[in-house]
Amino acid sequence: MELRLLGQTGMAVSVIGLGTVTWGRLAGLGYRVPSTLPGDDRLLHLLDRAEELGVNLIDTAPAYGESEARLGALLAGRRERWRIASKAGEAFDGLQSHFDFSRPAVLASVGRSLRHLRTDRIDLLTVHSDGLDEGEAKFGQAIDALERLKRQGKIGAVGFSAKTEAGACWAAIRCDVVMLTWNETDQSLSLALQDARRHGAGVLAKKPLAQGKLPASALRFAVGTPGVASAILGTTDPLHLEAAVRALAGDQDTQAGIENPC
């Protein structure tokens, strides 16, 4: 699988990354999900197949329930093969999300993530935005906290998972990496994507299949957009990942989407 540099971070990431929302959480997602969490055997098989296919980027978050802790256990003995991206700012209590973007809360969150992931360094740590008033006044403390952790070597790069054009454009200047929704049916953040390219920020495409509404072949649009380093796909099924890789390679027979896209 093709590897691309993630902006100016120095990290080379696979053009498909694994999203892990439903590795640890099923409630309150707003789209169709499996009725039960996947077992460890299934996820180990997925990780094995992902490595065989050349995937090296995996995305998780405290708000994904048990995802970080499960990932930490499942990556035992293979941590060095993966670029891990996690988040801070949002927590999920089983019923609803809670947000805290203060410096102390972000530092504490990353400390927990390091323990759950059983690692001394997280390659990318993004602020998990609530989508409201995205800018310096609200999120500056959080970014400052992450920059401090970057200087300490506990994280490799600072990112922002944006939901608005204003927020994504701000993050393109302030952060190393911007995560934003980008697919064939939603190109509302195109100006922000251009800003990210102009300022040298890496871009990770969220929802490249519009949460399962688009076929796997739509991946070619997402990763074919200049500036996009990787598209994050949420799945627990090795066969779905294989279908995505075939679609990216131009297999015209591949029409199935991914069952639980991040």
Side-chain angles (χ1 to χ4, degrees):
M1 183 175 296
E2 180 187 358
L3 299 179
R4 295 178 180 174
L5 286 175
L6 183 58
Q8 299 176 359
T9 66
M11 285 188 284
V13 296
S14 52
V15 293
I16 292 178
L18 275 181
T20 64
V21 178
T22 55
W23 290 33
R25 170 183 168 183
L26 299 176
L29 294 176
Y31 52 82
R32 183 174 60 86
V33 297
S35 57
T36 59
L37 292 175
D40 286 350
D41 288 346
R42 180 183 179 94
L43 295 181
L44 282 170
H45 182 34
L46 174 62
L47 289 171
D48 289 341
R49 191 67 185 112
E51 288 180 4
E52 292 169 356
L53 292 167
V55 177
N56 77 342
L57 175 64
I58 195 160
D59 179 69
T60 184
Y64 298 170
E66 301 171 28
S67 175
E68 282 188 325
R70 297 192 73 187
L71 186 57
L74 292 165
L75 288 184
R78 62 171 86 191
R79 166 66 182 93
E80 73 284 352
R81 305 176 198 171
W82 288 89
R83 296 294 192 181
I84 299 177
S86 193
K87 303 178 184 70
E90 178 183 1
F92 184 72
D93 65 8
L95 296 174
Q96 61 183 340
S97 286
H98 302 275
F99 296 91
D100 190 338
F101 304 109
S102 67
R103 184 180 290 105
V106 168
L107 292 174
S109 176
V110 176
R112 288 191 295 272
S113 292
L114 287 165
R115 291 193 297 274
H116 289 160
L117 291 165
R118 305 185 188 186
T119 186
D120 59 2
R121 189 173 188 270
I122 298 171
D123 299 290
L124 170 64
L125 210 300
T126 67
V127 174
H128 213 165
S129 174
D130 60 0
L132 304 173
D133 304 319
E134 293 183 335
E136 186 68 25
K138 184 171 185 177
F139 295 102
Q141 275 197 40
I143 299 301
D144 288 343
L146 295 184
E147 289 176 340
R148 171 183 168 185
L149 293 171
K150 180 181 174 182
R151 291 192 296 271
Q152 294 173 350
K154 294 181 180 179
I155 65 176
V158 175
F160 187 79
S161 183
K163 297 181 181 179
T164 67
E165 183 174 84
C169 289
W170 166 77
I173 299 172
R174 189 71 157 84
C175 303
D176 303 314
V177 176
V178 182
M179 295 185 72
L180 50 78
T181 297
W182 185 254
N183 58 57
E184 286 184 339
T185 59
D186 187 348
Q187 299 160 47
S188 58
L189 299 184
S190 60
L191 291 179
L193 198 154
Q194 293 172 33
D195 266 6
R197 288 187 66 201
R198 185 161 50 250
H199 292 287
V203 175
L204 298 179
K206 300 187 292 184
K207 304 176 183 176
L209 300 183
Q211 296 183 322
K213 298 181 180 69
L214 296 173
S217 57
L219 278 172
R220 293 197 294 274
F221 170 83
V223 304
T225 303
V228 172
S230 182
I232 305 300
L233 291 178
T235 188
T236 64
D237 190 338
L239 294 178
H240 289 161
L241 178 61
E242 291 170 6
V245 173
R246 290 198 305 273
L248 194 58
D251 185 343
Q252 298 300 317
D253 294 329
T254 300
Q255 293 298 323
I258 309 301
E259 95 274 21
N260 54 333
C262 179

